[in-house]
Structure formats: structure tokens, C-alpha cells
Amino acid sequence: MLQLEHLRKDYDGFVAVNDLTLDVPRGEFFCFLGPNGAGKTTTIKIITGLLKPASGRALVCGKDIQKDPMEAKRVIGYIPDTPYLYEKLSGRDFMYFVGNLYGVSRADVKQEMDKYFSLFKLTGAADNLIENYSFGMRQKLCFSAAFMHQPRVLVVDEPMVGLDPLSAKILKDLLREFCRNGGSVFLSTHLLAIAEELCDRLGIITRGELRFLGTVDSLRTTMSRTGTLEDLFLELTADGVTDTAASPFAADSSTHSSA
């Protein structure tokens, strides 16, 4: 479903992602972890077509995101860490706008909107302007829009930021159901307990290079010790913590970012 082949991305000579190769098959919940400045957000921007790699390629359902962007993006649902939305649209108008971009009929948009707005308790705010939405409401609107066109791959960056416990539980259930139905999730988060709870496999990146790829249990075997994912992660990445103030891609290291 999602294949990354020898991805490399440089920023003025600084290697943000170096020879990254991994494969997320159909139905897998994959978590992508790393300290600030490790290259996670850069990788996500390449997957979603927002950045062009220096070399290598990202394939979504067999479509190269650079060579066939329209077809690749048609099957992606993207939930960024910080939602940038059209402030002067209402939540309802935003859903119709996104549905139109993906060629979803108005009847299907309404059906999906009613479903997700009800789940996320947005129905009462559907006709309010987005500029009056809280951060958590904006996140929930992004989730609703990302699911609406029935994507095959979900790329999710720090999904729990700004969510109350009930909304976080609803989202986790939706993501699990999405995978059970044959979709694939590529999730980046700093909340290691969430990753340990949800992931089938995980990848750990530091200084732009993949340090580990496998299950949590195989990570324990590799490191010859027991412990939580948090314990194992901190030990594995102790030498990979970046001075984010000096990073040439400082946007990757902001409070709500995942790289």
C-alpha cells in the first residue's frame, strides 16, 4: 500500500532523510517514531507530495507521488499536526469543498459529514465559521474530511494534539476499524504509549536514518531487555537527539510537529 524506496532529502547540505526504505502493507497500523529533528515530518511531506525528494521515491498503492500525483493523492487521507483551514468557510462548506476536490457527490458528502460530525460532536457547529473553531474542533474537522473520500492510506501526524479523552478514543477506534477493513495507517507521534497500544509495527528514525523496523516485541529482543516502548525508545535514540535550534528545517521541530 505504501512503499518508500531509498528516500533522501537535503536542506542546503544538511541530510534530513537518508536512504529511507520501508513498506507498509495492506491493513497494517504503522507508527513512525523519532526525536525532534529526526526527519519524520520531512518524510510525511514527501509521502503526501508536499516535498520532492533528492532521490528515491514514494509509492502509494503503486502510484509514484511525484510522477502520478493526482492518482496517488486520490487514495491518501492526510491529517497534519497543525490544521490549516479556510477560516471564512463554515465546517459544512469545508466538507463540501473537500468533497468536490475528490469528486465525491453532494449526497455522499452529506452522508459522510452527518456520520463523522455526529461522532465528533460537531453537528451543532457545522454552520459556524472555522475561524471560531477551537484547535480540537479543527482537528476533528480534518479527521472528518480525511475519511470522507474513503482513502486506502491514512497519513496521520500527531493526531491526539488538542483532543479531549473521548474524541481521542473515538479516533483510535476509527483508525483500528480502518485497518481492519483493509486500509493502511502511517502514524507519527511523540506519544509512545499511543504507539505501543495501536501499532502492528513501528519504525524508529534518528538523524534521518532508520534505526529500527519491526514489532515492539522484536525491539525488546533486539535490545535484549524488557521494558515499555518509552524505555526502549529513549535508550535507542539517546545519541540521536538533535539541537533543534540549529536545525535548518526548524519547522519540523516545533511544539506540534513530529520531526
Side-chain angles (χ1 to χ4, degrees):
M1 295 284 275
L2 176 62
Q3 296 168 283
L4 308 183
E5 299 179 351
H6 304 289
L7 288 183
R8 181 183 175 94
K9 180 64 180 176
D10 305 83
Y11 293 89
D12 297 325
F14 185 94
V15 181
V17 175
N18 186 28
D19 195 28
L20 176 61
T21 296
L22 58 86
D23 185 358
V24 180
R26 183 177 185 269
E28 181 171 82
F29 201 123
F30 184 86
C31 286
F32 196 50
L33 311 176
N36 286 344
K40 299 190 304 300
T41 292
T42 296
T43 300
I44 284 175
K45 288 181 177 179
I46 292 172
I47 292 171
T48 54
L50 298 174
L51 280 179
K52 183 178 180 179
S55 59
R57 61 180 186 165
L59 303 175
V60 185
C61 297
K63 304 295 184 181
D64 189 316
I65 191 68
Q66 294 297 322
K67 294 181 179 180
D68 199 358
M70 294 298 290
E71 289 303 311
K73 292 178 182 180
R74 194 180 304 277
V75 295
I76 294 176
Y78 176 39
I79 302 170
D81 60 340
T82 302
Y84 295 100
L85 305 173
Y86 294 97
E87 301 277 302
K88 297 301 181 181
L89 291 181
S90 68
R92 187 186 309 277
D93 288 340
F94 179 77
M95 291 290 285
Y96 281 117
F97 170 74
V98 173
N100 187 57
L101 290 178
Y102 283 103
V104 181
S105 71
R106 289 185 67 86
D108 286 343
V109 170
K110 184 179 186 308
Q111 179 177 313
E112 296 299 299
M113 177 169 54
D114 288 348
K115 172 184 175 181
Y116 291 111
F117 277 24
S118 176
L119 271 175
F120 287 121
K121 313 300 182 187
L122 287 176
T123 304
D127 294 311
N128 296 346
L129 295 182
I130 293 171
E131 67 181 1
N132 296 317
Y133 279 23
S134 68
F135 185 87
M137 292 171 68
R138 291 170 186 240
Q139 284 288 81
K140 290 186 280 189
L141 180 60
C142 276
F143 303 146
S144 302
F147 281 106
M148 177 175 54
H149 65 287
Q150 299 182 352
R152 296 175 64 189
V153 175
L154 279 174
V155 180
V156 189
D157 196 356
E158 292 295 351
M160 305 305 172
V161 174
L163 292 188
D164 58 82
L166 176 59
S167 297
K169 173 66 165 57
I170 290 169
L171 179 61
K172 288 188 289 185
D173 289 344
L174 282 174
L175 293 175
R176 288 191 187 101
E177 181 183 15
F178 181 79
C179 290
R180 283 195 299 269
N181 291 335
S184 299
V185 172
F186 185 95
L187 182 147
S188 175
T189 181
H190 286 301
L191 300 177
L192 300 182
I194 296 293
E196 187 166 12
E197 175 187 356
L198 296 176
C199 76
D200 297 311
R201 283 191 312 147
L202 57 90
I204 298 176
I205 186 173
T206 63
R207 299 189 183 275
E209 297 188 351
L210 194 63
R211 294 283 297 275
F212 175 80
L213 181 64
T215 65
V216 176
D217 284 341
S218 65
L219 177 59
R220 294 188 177 104
T221 300
T222 298
M223 299 185 68
S224 300
R225 57 161 294 184
T226 59
T228 65
L229 176 57
E230 181 180 44
D231 296 331
L232 300 168
F233 172 85
L234 292 175
E235 181 177 330
L236 184 66
T237 62
D239 62 345
V241 177
T242 302
D243 180 0
T244 56
S247 171
F249 49 108
D252 277 6
S253 306
S254 64
T255 301
H256 294 304
S257 180
S258 69

